[in-house]
Amino acid sequence: MTTSVMKKLPEVTLAFWIMKIAATTLGETAGDLFSQTLKLGYFLTTIALFLVFVVTLVIQLRAKRYNPFFYWTVILSTSMAGTTMSDFMNRDASAQYLAPGATSLGWGPQGLGLGYPEGAAILVSILLLIFLVWKLSGMTFQITEIVTFRGEALFWSAILVSNTLGTSMGDFLSDSSGLGYLGGASLVTGLLLVLVALMRVPAVPNVLLFWIAFVLTRPLGATAGDLLTKPVAKGGLNLGTAGSSAVLLAVLFGLMAYAQLKERRAAAPEFAVAEEARPQRAGHR
């Protein structure tokens, strides 16, 4: 007997990447909204957003098939949690990270102050360890073929760490590299265009390109989020975390609704075929 398992993860299309960038940019602005604008601090916000991630992940793992709202809500929660996890790892309560007039980063520990290079090195090591365990498990890295609970758990572990790593990379480009928000976003966009070109090179595995692109879209979201929210004096557009988050949430919600509609339309013929193939009851005419 053959067991059929419904796919739980989406097809990788242009719409996928647009939604990924929208979700990661919103993750940056929303994470900063809670930790900085609302002054909850990195520590308390990280705990709260990590719990949100766990709740959304449980819903996704319990789903029987791919649901765009479930999937992209987890992506968003990993982006928000990754933002504050990265900030807590890399920053401290020194003046360069405080808003004017502020004396602390909120309740609890102020931050580990590791710095972006050290924090990124730790996250790269954790991500490589996850991929090593994944490789040794013998399960596929191709997300459209992940159909087991263990495979999906490894996938989401890699997503959480990659989004945290991407935040560190984005903040380094924006704050420490001298490129500024627009320069950092332009650099990451250029690297993503190189990956698009490499898709035409047969010797380069598309799975490798996917994961590199997945990591790089996070610093793109981080720099784009900073560009939207930071003061003009620092090179931003000063739109604020609340307003930017509201607009990005509306955009992402609209894209999720469109993806849900497409998924229902695609599932309708499959349901009709299944109904036709179902054995008729005895005596039914």
Side-chain angles (χ1 to χ4, degrees):
M1 181 177 65
T2 301
T3 302
S4 175
V5 182
M6 288 289 189
K7 74 182 183 74
K8 299 284 296 296
L9 305 176
E11 300 291 334
V12 181
T13 62
L14 178 60
F16 171 92
W17 292 113
I18 293 173
M19 294 179 73
K20 171 62 164 61
I21 294 170
T24 53
T25 306
L26 175 57
E28 178 73 15
T29 60
D32 288 346
L33 171 65
F34 290 117
S35 64
Q36 298 176 24
T37 305
L38 299 181
K39 304 184 185 305
L40 296 179
Y42 301 138
F43 179 69
L44 190 61
T45 306
T46 294
I47 293 175
L49 293 180
F50 187 81
L51 291 175
V52 171
F53 161 68
V54 171
V55 171
T56 59
L57 180 60
V58 169
I59 295 173
Q60 164 67 20
L61 292 175
R62 289 175 62 87
K64 300 301 182 183
R65 62 177 298 151
Y66 170 60
N67 183 302
F69 280 99
F70 295 166
Y71 175 86
W72 289 107
T73 299
V74 185
I75 291 290
L76 176 59
S77 68
T78 61
S79 298
M80 292 191 298
T83 294
T84 54
M85 287 168 63
S86 170
D87 289 345
F88 180 71
M89 288 179 62
N90 300 322
R91 299 181 177 185
D92 52 38
S94 57
Q96 62 178 320
Y97 300 125
L98 294 175
T103 58
S104 70
L105 295 169
W107 181 86
Q110 297 295 292
L112 301 179
L114 298 177
Y116 297 125
E118 292 81 356
I122 293 172
L123 292 167
V124 167
S125 300
I126 297 173
L127 186 59
L128 291 176
L129 179 61
I130 292 173
F131 282 132
L132 177 61
V133 172
W134 197 338
K135 178 68 174 178
L136 293 176
S137 72
M139 290 180 287
T140 180
F141 287 102
Q142 183 68 46
I143 73 166
T144 54
E145 298 176 8
I146 295 175
V147 294
T148 65
F149 178 89
R150 186 169 58 166
E152 201 177 353
L154 286 168
F155 171 80
W156 287 114
S157 299
I159 295 303
L160 178 62
V161 176
S162 68
N163 276 335
T164 308
L165 171 62
T167 302
S168 296
M169 294 169 61
D171 287 343
F172 171 77
L173 290 174
S174 298
D175 300 337
S176 305
S177 68
L179 292 174
Y181 306 129
L182 184 58
S186 299
L187 175 61
V188 177
T189 300
L191 293 174
L192 289 171
L193 291 175
V194 171
L195 295 181
V196 172
L198 288 175
M199 291 178 62
R200 300 180 178 274
V201 180
V204 182
N206 282 343
V207 172
L208 175 62
L209 294 177
F210 168 83
W211 282 105
I212 296 175
F214 208 98
V215 172
L216 286 178
T217 49
R218 185 62 187 95
L220 177 60
T223 52
D226 286 340
L227 177 64
L228 292 172
T229 60
K230 300 303 182 183
V232 175
K234 293 185 177 182
L237 298 178
N238 199 30
L239 300 180
T241 55
S244 298
S245 297
V247 172
L248 288 166
L249 181 61
V251 170
L252 183 60
F253 187 83
L255 292 171
M256 290 164 62
Y258 176 71
Q260 183 71 40
L261 181 61
K262 285 187 63 178
E263 192 67 20
R264 287 182 178 178
R265 287 176 176 174
E270 298 177 6
F271 178 78
V273 170
E275 285 294 307
E276 291 178 2
R278 181 180 297 178
Q280 298 292 324
R281 291 177 298 171
H284 179 76
R285 296 183 183 271

